[in-house]
Amino acid sequence: MPRLSPRLFDPITVGGLTVPHRLWVAPMCQYSSVDGMPGEWHLVHLGSFAIGRAGLIMTEAAAVSPIGRITPDDAGIWNDDHTAGWRRVVDFVHGMDGLIGIQLSHAGRKASTYPPTRGRGSVPASEGGWTTVGPSAVAWGPFTPPVELDREGIARIVAEFGDAAARSVEAGFDLVEIHAAHGYLLGQFLSPTSNLRTDEYGGDVAGRSRIVREVVEAVRARVPSEMPVVLRVSASEWVPGGVTVDDTIAALHLIDGVDLVSVSSGGNNPDQAIPSGPGYQQPLSRAVRAAIDAPVGVAGLITTPEQAEAALGAEDTDVVYVARQFLREPTFALRAAAALGGELAWPWQYNRAKYVESIP
């Protein structure tokens, strides 16, 4: 059987960073931190993807402040101890010739919630919860309504993103991603269903995207010019009156300083009707890719090497993010290379277990 010439294993340059291939690990919350600290779990969890030769590994959402955590068990990067904790992970990944990026996040009105092991809903102060903030005092479904941010509060959060970016550089990360998707704070500002403001941070697309522009500018100012800055967006809210892909494209045209756009969807409204299925987000990434100058990435139930390769071949994306399949199979990139005819060097310690051409 003739071998393909897979695009999945072509290198890609994003900003000043060349990544050896286009199969990347998507950010996935682990709910395994104490006071925001990455620990042994993160070292082994993320390190396994480096052993498996993922093109680039993304951390879970790392909160830029204590009240920016989704749950009390979330990771963070708001102090110097966190910087040192992440440095251990980064050093291991680099020691395996891998690349790693950090996702900077603030959960806004979706913060102070229970981790999956403890149920759902808002965590009260008596159990370690806190007062949440948002663009408007509009709750996400059954969660406790947030306090509407004033201009001083917005400026503080913008500065916290900048400080977190500086710590990310100190920790040695290769890339920073700004999380403006899945109904977290920046995504809340982008949506007319959660942002009811009438000042300069609300109203039309230009107003609703103002804080995102300011965050990108603050992050860009605190990282080296060659370091890629990625923006993750929910391109569709999947509810009537919510964000559409056209709104997302309009916002992206107003935002400077982004080297790659990671396209996702949903998360800002419990009434969302997501047409879930393999590749369900690729029509969104295809539309965004056609409308902007920067490369794009996409995730969404991509579980086989052939799916990943087809997404690139269809011009839907420039990078394929994979989440659950990497959890099932940390060496997914090695298997994909064997299946598609790509070239990846195995860790020498694993050479005796190399995938062979007889893989089904």
Side-chain angles (χ1 to χ4, degrees):
M1 179 177 176
R3 285 306 219 174
L4 304 175
S5 178
R7 292 183 58 189
L8 193 61
F9 294 97
D10 287 343
I12 182 171
T13 298
V14 181
L17 179 70
T18 297
V19 184
H21 66 84
R22 298 164 187 245
L23 189 57
W24 296 8
V25 178
M28 292 176 279
C29 289
Q30 297 296 293
Y31 311 107
S32 300
S33 294
V34 176
D35 295 328
M37 276 294 292
E40 301 300 318
W41 175 264
H42 299 87
L43 177 63
V44 176
H45 163 66
L46 295 168
S48 70
F49 304 131
I51 292 172
R53 296 299 196 246
L56 183 135
I57 302 159
M58 288 302 306
T59 72
E60 65 197 271
V64 300
S65 73
I67 70 166
R69 291 172 293 170
I70 306 164
T71 81
D73 297 347
D74 281 18
I77 189 162
W78 67 79
N79 65 39
D80 293 341
D81 288 340
H82 297 155
T83 305
W86 284 119
R87 167 61 80 173
R88 292 183 66 231
V89 177
V90 171
D91 285 350
F92 179 83
V93 172
H94 287 169
M96 295 300 301
D97 296 324
L99 298 173
I100 184 167
I102 187 168
Q103 185 184 66
L104 307 180
S105 181
H106 193 299
R109 66 176 183 168
K110 292 179 76 175
S112 191
T113 60
Y114 287 107
T117 54
R118 293 169 56 195
R120 286 182 59 81
S122 297
V123 178
S126 60
E127 297 183 32
W130 56 88
T131 300
T132 62
V133 296
S136 302
V138 179
W140 189 94
F143 294 174
T144 302
V147 172
E148 180 174 314
L149 283 161
D150 58 19
R151 289 179 178 83
E152 181 180 352
I154 291 172
R156 181 173 60 252
I157 287 169
V158 170
E160 287 168 346
F161 271 94
D163 291 344
R167 292 190 185 97
S168 301
V169 174
E170 187 176 346
F173 283 102
D174 301 293
L175 172 155
V176 292
E177 177 177 290
I178 298 164
H179 199 356
H182 301 164
Y184 300 123
L185 183 65
L186 300 184
Q188 293 160 26
F189 269 91
L190 288 168
S191 170
T193 69
S194 50
N195 183 350
L196 309 183
R197 302 175 73 98
T198 57
D199 64 3
E200 68 269 32
Y201 290 95
D204 60 10
V205 170
R208 298 197 310 270
S209 63
R210 180 180 298 275
I211 189 174
V212 183
R213 298 198 301 274
E214 292 179 352
V215 166
V216 172
E217 183 178 352
V219 167
R220 186 81 270 174
R222 303 293 293 279
V223 304
S225 59
E226 68 276 8
M227 188 175 192
V229 173
V230 174
L231 181 67
R232 195 172 207 195
V233 297
S234 280
S236 175
E237 200 168 342
W238 303 118
V239 294
V243 169
T244 66
V245 68
D246 289 339
D247 294 330
T248 299
I249 290 167
L252 291 172
H253 284 158
L254 297 171
I255 299 168
D256 294 324
V258 172
D259 297 299
L260 182 142
V261 175
S262 174
V263 177
S264 192
S265 68
N268 195 50
N269 196 305
D271 296 326
Q272 63 191 11
I274 299 177
S276 184
Y280 72 99
Q281 295 186 142
Q282 287 168 218
L284 301 173
S285 63
R286 184 186 314 133
V288 171
R289 186 174 185 270
I292 67 172
D293 293 332
V296 306
V298 73
L301 298 180
I302 297 170
T303 60
T304 71
E306 292 76 15
Q307 271 182 282
E309 180 66 22
L312 293 169
E315 305 292 338
D316 290 344
T317 188
D318 300 285
V319 166
V320 177
Y321 287 95
V322 170
R324 290 173 178 86
Q325 191 59 36
F326 269 116
L327 294 183
R328 300 181 190 105
E329 186 182 7
T331 57
F332 177 57
L334 291 172
R335 179 167 69 86
L340 297 176
E343 295 290 336
L344 284 184
W346 280 60
W348 67 264
Q349 298 93 331
Y350 282 20
N351 276 345
R352 74 191 69 179
K354 277 187 178 180
Y355 293 122
V356 296
E357 291 190 5
S358 60
I359 285 180

